[in-house]
Amino acid sequence: RFLRQNVVSSNISLLVQRQAQERLRRHDKLTKADVPVLSLLSQELYKELHAEICVPHVIRHPFFRMLHNIDTRFFRNFCSMAVETTFYRSGDGIFTAGSMAGGAYCVVSGNIVYTQEPQTSPVNEVEAKELSDGTWLCESALWSEWIHVGSAMALS
């Protein structure tokens, strides 16, 4: 009904419906949005929960590990304010070359393919690299305005 009301073409409507049905059949990892009872937690407990989930992944980066070692309380607060968890499914685009970076990325589980092309980055031919758990992307966006020179897509 939404697609008809918004006059979406039959080609796109079919693709949207297929992808929605496929994703509804999967049993993906739950997100915080999937657990409504979390909204009942106090703000402090919710921040602690978020930090508990994020800290082990974020401290894989040497800079963040150093911050954590210097001041654990500050770092847990930093995680609750600045770290966001996003789940991508196979085939989802994460970012594209030429777009403004909104932050850095850390692969927690699964694989991503990062592709650079001569038109947008300093390479002579197309280069694609598969990235896995623990890999960081776009760290430059943490301390500068950064425009992506490659594209990233979730593989798994």
Side-chain angles (χ1 to χ4, degrees):
R1 189 169 123 190
F2 170 82
L3 299 171
R4 276 193 312 270
Q5 288 176 348
N6 288 283
V7 194
V8 176
S9 71
S10 58
N11 289 344
I12 297 297
S13 293
L14 184 60
L15 292 172
V16 167
Q17 290 172 18
R18 281 184 186 162
Q19 188 174 84
Q21 289 170 352
E22 173 196 331
R23 291 182 177 192
L24 287 171
R25 282 192 296 269
R26 292 184 186 169
H27 297 287
D28 293 332
K29 188 172 184 176
L30 292 176
T31 67
K32 292 175 190 167
D34 297 324
V35 187
V37 72
L38 294 179
S39 67
L40 302 175
L41 299 178
S42 69
Q43 204 171 30
E44 280 304 307
L45 184 54
Y46 186 83
K47 284 169 59 173
E48 284 298 313
L49 173 64
H50 182 75
E52 189 78 18
I53 293 168
C54 294
V55 167
H57 305 293
V58 177
I59 63 173
R60 292 176 176 179
H61 190 283
F63 176 72
F64 293 125
R65 186 171 41 255
M66 179 190 70
L67 282 180
H68 180 261
N69 290 341
I70 291 171
D71 190 338
T72 303
R73 177 187 269 173
F74 163 81
F75 191 76
R76 292 177 76 80
N77 196 39
F78 161 79
C79 282
S80 72
M81 294 182 345
V83 177
E84 180 181 312
T85 304
T86 306
F87 296 96
Y88 295 100
R89 294 181 174 100
S90 180
D92 283 352
I94 299 168
F95 57 82
T96 58
S99 63
M100 187 69 135
Y105 300 83
C106 175
V107 181
V108 172
S109 67
N111 295 311
I112 291 173
V113 63
Y114 178 71
T115 306
Q116 290 181 304
E117 298 182 11
Q119 300 89 333
T120 58
S121 58
V123 295
N124 293 323
E125 57 188 44
V126 174
E127 292 184 14
K129 184 174 183 182
E130 193 169 320
L131 309 172
S132 59
D133 300 6
T135 306
W136 282 81
L137 293 92
C138 312
E139 296 155 84
S140 300
L142 296 173
W143 53 82
S144 68
E145 287 191 24
W146 185 255
I147 295 175
H148 294 295
V149 295
S151 299
M153 182 179 70
L155 295 176
S156 63

